[in-house]
């Protein structure tokens, strides 16, 4: 064996040992550094529940949670899906008892207890669950088994109770954050050329929603009778002294629920014909506005009061006061979601307005722009007085374009009762901004789904079911009574047992004796109401009784404060 071969044989094992020692040394050093980092992390408050988890930690933890769910659990179907309302009603009580303290009444987790947990409670709001594609089976699995090393316990509930809870979680109430999650400007990318494209452009991606919306009053506020001859409700073959026009004079039909009016086109504008149809009483009534703020500023004849200035901005999308053209008639998608050109090109959550991501002011303003009585601060505009917020769309601030009608307390006017409650229709916004619901972040879309539902007024749920999402005998929001019947002093299935019968009485006039519901949610004692000349909820139903009778009856309800029963 040569000398060089001997050297190679001796150096081989030595080099390998050195290489191993280096690896071991690096590993020991890494371990020491990791321990030092962990020690520093712990002694500097790393185990505090108040801190926000790091993004990497959240990602890893979420991945592990997803891996822990058995496939058979994911595939489970809710056996109560065929009767969701009754299941959710029972689930509501379970949620209030077991879940609400951490997850909040709306599932957001923004509670005192939830804010002190690490990790934070899972967001149970429907949009969040849908985004994570959580199945009913997965929600059932979490409730039954809990999640180790978190604040989520495994609840000792029966299968029936657990499924009832799942049913309710799927229908949690929707509210907006008081501070707002995403402003209108943040939902629009910079340097983008936004324009309106019409609701038909939304159908491709949102077909089911689009088909529901098409059947709503919002989508059918005004219709061309040549395209929709069925839109005309009354029989024009029967003569009436109020009607001095024929169907051939009608260019657009307005309304179908309470009243129907008829627009005649003259030149490039429309004018309201002098007779309207009372849908409730099936009879003709005269149409002539004499008490609204703008009435003395226009000639008295209907034929000289154009709808372009007084109506069309709320009955269309993107009305141009200069050209008198629209992107589309009716309350289309972009009336509430803003111009959609960029969203159609590149559908993302951040180039379209969504009230669920806005603060309560902006979210409510989407509806208040039309459901309120007011006037533009810049009137007259181009020599005309407008009765709608000219220049506003939902990417902007409504208060820059619209001022709510003023009222002096104690005076009864065309628009207001003496206490400031709405006296007429189309004032839901004026009412609502004075309510506690508004200041607590409840929005119009918490209760209404303008895309269309089977419930009256496009409510998300039947009225009592909807109210009891947030209220109930066990809720800090009230009512403060052991049962609903003890609170209302009426049987639950009676008209007087309906929440809205007392808290949203029909007192705002829309036509003749047909009234719509108040949206202040204020309680006014019958005696005070009579003193101020305001209808009270009791006598709206008990029409054969007096306010004194109602006041005396309320004073026998021992669960009511006597101080609130006084004038």
């Amino acid at each position: 064996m040569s000398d060089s071969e001997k050297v190679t044989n001796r150096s081989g094992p030595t080099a390998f040992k050195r290489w191993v020692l280096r690896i071991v040394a690096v590993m020991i050093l890494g371990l020491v550094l990791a321990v030092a980092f962990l020690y520093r992390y712990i002694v500097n408050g790393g185990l505090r529940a108040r801190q926000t988890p790091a993004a990497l930690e959240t990602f890893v933890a979420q991945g592990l949670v997803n891996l822990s769910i058995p496939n058979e659990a994911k595939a489970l179907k809710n056996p109560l899906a065929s009767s969701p309302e009754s299941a959710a009603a029972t689930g509501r009580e379970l949620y209030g008892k077991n879940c609400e303290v951490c997850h909040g009444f709306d599932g957001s987790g923004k509670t005192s207890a939830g804010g002190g947990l690490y990790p934070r409670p899972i967001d149970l709001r429907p949009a969040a669950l849908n985004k994570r594609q959580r199945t009913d089976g997965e929600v059932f699995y979490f409730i039954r088994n809990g999640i180790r090393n978190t604040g989520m316990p495994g609840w000792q509930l029966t299968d029936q109770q657990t499924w009832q809870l799942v049913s309710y979680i799927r229908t949690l109430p929707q509210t907006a954050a008081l501070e707002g999650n995403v402003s209108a400007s943040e939902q629009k990318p910079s340097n983008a050329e936004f324009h309106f494209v019409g609701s038909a452009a939304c159908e491709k991606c949102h077909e089911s929603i689009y088909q529901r919306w098409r059947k709503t009053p919002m989508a059918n506020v005004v219709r061309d009778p040549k395209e929709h001859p069925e839109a005309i409700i009354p029989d024009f073959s029967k003569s009436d002294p109020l009607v001095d026009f024929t169907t051939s004079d009608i260019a657009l039909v307005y309304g179908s629920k309470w009243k129907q009016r008829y627009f005649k086109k003259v030149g490039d504008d429309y004018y309201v014909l002098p007779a309207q149809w009372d849908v409730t009483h099936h009879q003709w009534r005269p149409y002539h506005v004499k008490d609204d703020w703008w009435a003395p500023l226009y000639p008295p004849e209907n034929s000289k009061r154009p709808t372009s200035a007084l109506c069309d901005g709320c009955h269309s999308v993107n009305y141009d006061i200069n050209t008198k053209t629209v992107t589309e008639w009716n309350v289309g998608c972009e009336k509430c979601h803003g111009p959609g050109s960029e969203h159609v090109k590149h559908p993302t959550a951040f180039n379209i307005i969504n009230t669920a991501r806005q603060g309560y002011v902006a979210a409510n303003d989407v509806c208040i722009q039309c459901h309120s009585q007011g006037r533009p601060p810049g009137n007259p505009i181009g020599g005309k007085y407008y009765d709608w917020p000219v220049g506003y769309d939902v990417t902007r601030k409504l208060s820059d374009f619209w001022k709510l009608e003023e009222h002096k307390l104690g005076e009864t006017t065309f628009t207001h009762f003496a206490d400031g409650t709405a006296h007429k229709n189309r004032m839901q916004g004026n009412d609502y901004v004075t309510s506690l619901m508004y200041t607590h972040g409840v929005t119009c879309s918490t209760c209404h789904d303008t895309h269309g539902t089977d419930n009256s007024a496009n409510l998300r749920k039947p009225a009592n079911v909807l109210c009891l999402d947030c209220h109930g005998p066990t809720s800090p929001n009230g009512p403060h009574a052991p049962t609903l019947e003890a609170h209302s002093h009426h049987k639950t299935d009676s008209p007087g047992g309906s929440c809205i019968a007392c808290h949203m009485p029909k007192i705002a006039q829309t036509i003749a004796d047909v009234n719509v519901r108040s949206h202040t949610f204020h309680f006014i004692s019958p005696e005070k109401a009579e003193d101020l000349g305001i209808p009270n909820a009791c006598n709206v139903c008990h029409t054969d009784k007096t306010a004194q009778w109602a006041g005396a009856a309320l004073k026998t309800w021992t669960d009511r404060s006597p101080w609130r029963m006084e004038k």
Side-chain angles (χ1 to χ4, degrees):
M1 184 181 292
S2 65
D3 291 341
S4 62
E5 288 176 331
K6 290 179 182 179
V7 170
T8 301
N9 287 338
R10 287 196 302 270
S11 63
T14 302
F16 178 74
K17 289 179 181 179
R18 289 175 180 171
W19 181 74
V20 170
L21 288 173
R22 286 172 183 168
I23 291 176
V24 172
V26 170
M27 291 176 65
I28 292 172
L29 179 61
L31 181 61
V32 170
L33 290 174
V35 170
F37 175 80
L38 182 61
Y39 173 78
R40 182 176 178 80
Y41 177 75
I42 292 172
V43 298
N44 283 280
L47 297 183
R48 290 178 299 185
R50 285 181 174 273
Q51 72 179 46
T52 302
L56 177 61
E57 180 182 350
T58 300
F59 176 78
V60 172
Q62 191 62 61
L64 292 174
V65 168
N66 291 336
L67 286 173
S68 72
I69 308 170
N71 289 330
E72 56 268 25
K74 295 179 181 180
L76 286 175
K77 304 294 183 184
N78 189 341
L80 307 180
S82 59
S83 55
E85 289 182 7
S86 60
T90 306
R92 181 191 305 113
E93 296 180 13
L94 293 167
Y95 184 88
K97 179 181 178 182
N98 300 317
C99 313
E100 189 170 321
V101 65
C102 292
H103 290 279
F105 80 97
D106 63 348
S108 65
K110 295 179 179 179
T111 65
S112 296
L117 288 176
Y118 185 96
R120 299 288 184 263
I122 293 174
D123 190 340
L124 296 178
R125 289 175 291 188
L129 292 179
N130 291 337
K131 183 177 181 180
R132 295 197 298 270
Q133 298 182 323
R134 290 286 184 222
T135 67
D136 284 351
E138 290 175 307
V139 179
F140 179 94
Y141 180 82
F142 289 138
I143 296 171
R144 168 59 58 83
N145 299 288
I147 304 175
R148 186 178 294 182
N149 298 323
T150 73
M152 177 64 191
W155 291 104
Q156 304 302 307
L157 301 174
T158 66
D159 284 3
Q160 175 86 353
Q161 290 174 317
T162 306
W163 284 121
Q164 289 168 340
L165 192 48
V166 171
S167 297
Y168 178 65
I169 288 171
R170 288 297 188 190
T171 63
L172 282 167
Q174 300 185 33
T175 61
L178 290 177
E179 72 278 6
N181 298 323
V182 182
S183 69
S185 61
E186 287 175 317
Q187 291 186 60
K188 289 180 61 176
S190 58
N191 305 318
E193 184 71 28
F194 278 77
H195 59 269
F196 293 87
V197 293
S199 298
C202 308
E203 182 180 10
K204 180 180 179 181
C205 295
H206 305 281
E207 183 178 4
S208 63
I209 292 176
Y210 181 84
Q211 293 303 328
R212 282 195 289 130
W213 163 80
R214 285 186 63 186
K215 301 173 184 176
T216 65
M218 290 287 195
N220 296 281
V221 179
V222 291
R223 287 183 285 177
D224 184 342
K226 295 180 179 63
E227 296 178 11
H228 303 279
E230 75 284 356
I232 298 178
I233 299 174
D235 184 354
F236 271 79
S237 66
K238 298 178 180 179
S239 63
D240 189 284
L242 291 174
V243 182
D244 61 357
F245 55 92
T246 67
T247 55
S248 62
D249 295 314
I250 302 172
L252 290 176
V253 175
Y254 160 79
S256 61
K257 186 171 183 178
W258 296 299
K259 59 202 172 197
Q260 189 168 82
R261 294 172 183 159
Y262 308 94
F263 295 0
K264 181 178 181 178
K265 190 169 186 179
V266 180
D268 60 356
D269 221 325
Y270 296 89
Y271 298 84
V272 187
L273 290 164
Q276 59 183 332
W277 182 252
D278 182 333
V279 177
T280 304
H281 297 99
H282 308 289
Q283 69 179 84
W284 287 101
R285 298 189 186 276
Y287 174 73
H288 178 71
V289 177
K290 57 183 176 58
D291 295 317
D292 217 330
W293 67 265
W294 53 262
L297 301 171
Y298 281 87
E301 300 87 357
N302 282 9
S303 59
K304 295 180 180 178
R305 295 175 166 185
T307 63
S308 58
L310 303 175
C311 308
D312 295 343
C314 282
H315 303 155
S316 66
V317 175
N318 190 33
Y319 190 92
D320 188 319
I321 64 172
N322 297 311
T323 62
K324 298 179 183 176
T325 57
V326 301
T327 297
E328 63 178 316
W329 288 105
N330 297 305
V331 183
C333 305
E334 293 164 299
K335 191 72 175 178
C336 305
H337 294 286
S341 56
E342 291 302 308
H343 187 69
V344 170
K345 292 178 186 176
H346 310 288
T348 74
F350 295 99
N351 58 13
I352 198 73
I353 295 296
N354 184 338
T355 58
R357 300 201 314 275
Q358 292 181 293
Y360 77 104
V361 174
N364 282 309
D365 281 352
V366 169
C367 303
I368 291 173
Q369 62 170 309
C370 292
H371 290 270
S372 65
Q373 187 77 16
R375 60 189 82 182
N379 262 339
I381 301 169
K384 291 183 180 180
Y385 287 88
Y386 285 81
D387 195 27
W388 52 274
V390 176
Y392 171 76
D393 67 54
V394 295
T395 64
R396 304 182 182 190
K397 187 178 179 181
L398 179 60
S399 58
D400 291 338
F401 300 85
W402 191 241
K403 299 301 178 185
L404 295 180
E405 194 69 21
E406 295 180 355
H407 172 255
K408 185 177 179 181
L409 284 175
E411 292 184 355
T412 297
T413 65
F414 171 66
T415 54
H416 294 82
F417 286 110
D419 70 330
T421 303
H423 194 191
K424 64 181 288 291
N425 188 24
R426 209 198 76 168
M427 289 187 61
Q428 293 85 355
N430 303 70
D431 268 358
Y432 194 58
V433 296
T434 70
S435 73
L436 287 175
M437 303 281 238
Y438 179 80
T439 57
H440 288 164
V442 179
T443 67
C444 304
S445 56
T446 300
C447 301
H448 301 273
D449 181 0
T450 52
H451 300 121
T453 74
D454 293 331
N455 301 307
S456 174
N458 283 326
L459 291 177
R460 293 186 177 277
K461 305 172 187 178
N464 261 25
V465 175
L466 190 64
C467 297
L468 293 174
D469 275 349
C470 302
H471 297 274
T474 61
S475 169
N477 300 322
H480 305 297
T483 66
L484 293 176
E485 288 193 357
H487 169 67
S488 69
H489 294 258
H490 291 77
K491 292 183 178 179
T492 303
D493 57 354
S494 71
S498 170
C499 303
I500 58 176
C502 297
H503 297 282
M504 300 182 69
K506 290 184 176 182
I507 61 173
Q509 184 187 38
T510 181
I511 183 172
D513 61 352
V514 180
N515 294 335
V516 297
R517 296 194 181 279
S518 167
H519 279 67
T520 64
F521 303 92
H522 296 164
F523 168 78
I524 305 172
S525 71
E527 293 183 356
K528 182 177 180 181
E530 184 180 45
D531 194 44
L532 293 174
I534 308 166
N536 71 82
C538 300
N539 294 120
V540 167
C541 290
H542 296 281
T543 55
D544 59 332
K545 305 293 185 181
T546 65
Q548 289 80 6
W549 169 87
L554 284 176
K555 288 176 182 177
T556 67
W557 296 5
T558 56
D559 60 317
R560 292 297 192 274
S561 167
W563 313 118
R564 300 193 69 192
M565 298 302 112
E566 297 179 348
K567 288 187 178 182

